Amino acid sequence: MSWLTDPFALPFMQRALLAVLLLAVAAGLLGTWIVLRRLAFFAHAVGTATFPGLVVAGPWGLAPPIAALGAGLGFAGLLSRMTRGGRTSADAATGLLLTGALALGAILASDVYSAGAGVDRLLFGTLLGLGDGDVALAAGVAAAALAASAALGRTWLATGFDPGGAHALGVRAARGDWMLLALLAVTVVAVLPAVGALLVSTLLVVPAATARLLTGSVRA
């Protein structure tokens, strides 16, 4: 079994394994609510929308998580503005902003800041290049996901299955929705160093969507 265990004697392999385990907790819990609330496309789009923020983080002297979070929040704000009043559907607005974010990131990376080969890392992450800060952020997000699921799980469950009935029962759906979206944004930022802007859905959507095909129970 040495061929299996020996690689994990290396510090960067230990960090990668620990980060994956911690991200699995956060992504597994939030992924359940994302799939239930039909937010899969939104989760993917938020991850991709952070690409321009990651490109400018270095040249502007910003920490990548802060730049990514700012870009994600800007995306959410523009989406809210475009869909206000019902003139543009959420799916259409998300698609337009997603395409715009990719185009803007590509222009910034190629023509403005010449990011070069670093674009691959921004788009697809580097699991073996994670630092202690990335592991600490993953641990914080895992703890937040556990706490939020314990405190707001009933609210998210009620609004996911029957939004109208949940409101009639006095469930504070608006607060729960904002908490879910905020936690999703922070989790996306934590996932980015490992999988990059384009592959966020591999942790936040794919496992939960696969489990959804196998069981109809939220607890399972």
Side-chain angles (χ1 to χ4, degrees):
M1 293 294 289
S2 60
W3 61 272
L4 182 61
T5 58
D6 286 352
F8 292 99
L10 302 171
F12 66 88
M13 288 292 289
Q14 295 172 5
R15 284 194 297 269
L17 178 61
L18 180 58
V20 165
L21 293 175
L22 292 170
L23 291 174
V25 174
L29 288 171
L30 291 181
T32 301
W33 306 115
I34 289 169
V35 171
L36 178 63
R37 301 295 302 276
R38 297 176 177 84
L39 292 172
F41 187 32
F42 177 79
H44 170 69
V46 169
T48 304
T50 63
F51 180 41
L54 293 172
V55 172
V56 303
W60 289 6
L62 300 173
I66 299 300
L69 183 60
L73 293 176
F75 169 84
L78 286 173
L79 180 63
S80 175
R81 185 175 181 83
M82 289 179 66
T83 56
R84 191 175 301 160
R87 296 185 62 181
T88 305
S89 69
D91 287 344
T94 301
L96 288 171
L97 291 174
L98 170 61
T99 305
L102 277 175
L104 177 60
I107 293 172
L108 290 172
S110 61
D111 297 334
V112 180
Y113 296 112
S114 300
V119 172
D120 289 347
R121 179 169 183 167
L122 299 181
L123 291 176
F124 304 109
T126 172
L127 187 59
L128 298 182
L130 299 181
D132 293 336
D134 298 320
V135 175
L137 181 57
V141 168
L146 284 168
S149 294
L152 298 171
R154 292 174 63 88
T155 298
W156 291 341
L157 184 64
T159 52
F161 279 108
D162 187 4
H167 181 72
L169 292 173
V171 174
R172 302 180 66 177
R175 185 182 67 175
D177 288 345
W178 278 110
M179 288 293 295
L180 178 60
L181 293 177
L183 190 54
L184 172 58
V186 176
T187 303
V188 165
V189 172
V191 168
L192 286 173
V195 298
L198 286 184
L199 300 179
V200 167
S201 59
T202 59
L203 289 180
L204 286 172
V205 177
V206 174
T210 303
R212 183 70 178 86
L213 298 175
L214 302 177
T215 179
S217 165
V218 173
R219 183 179 297 275

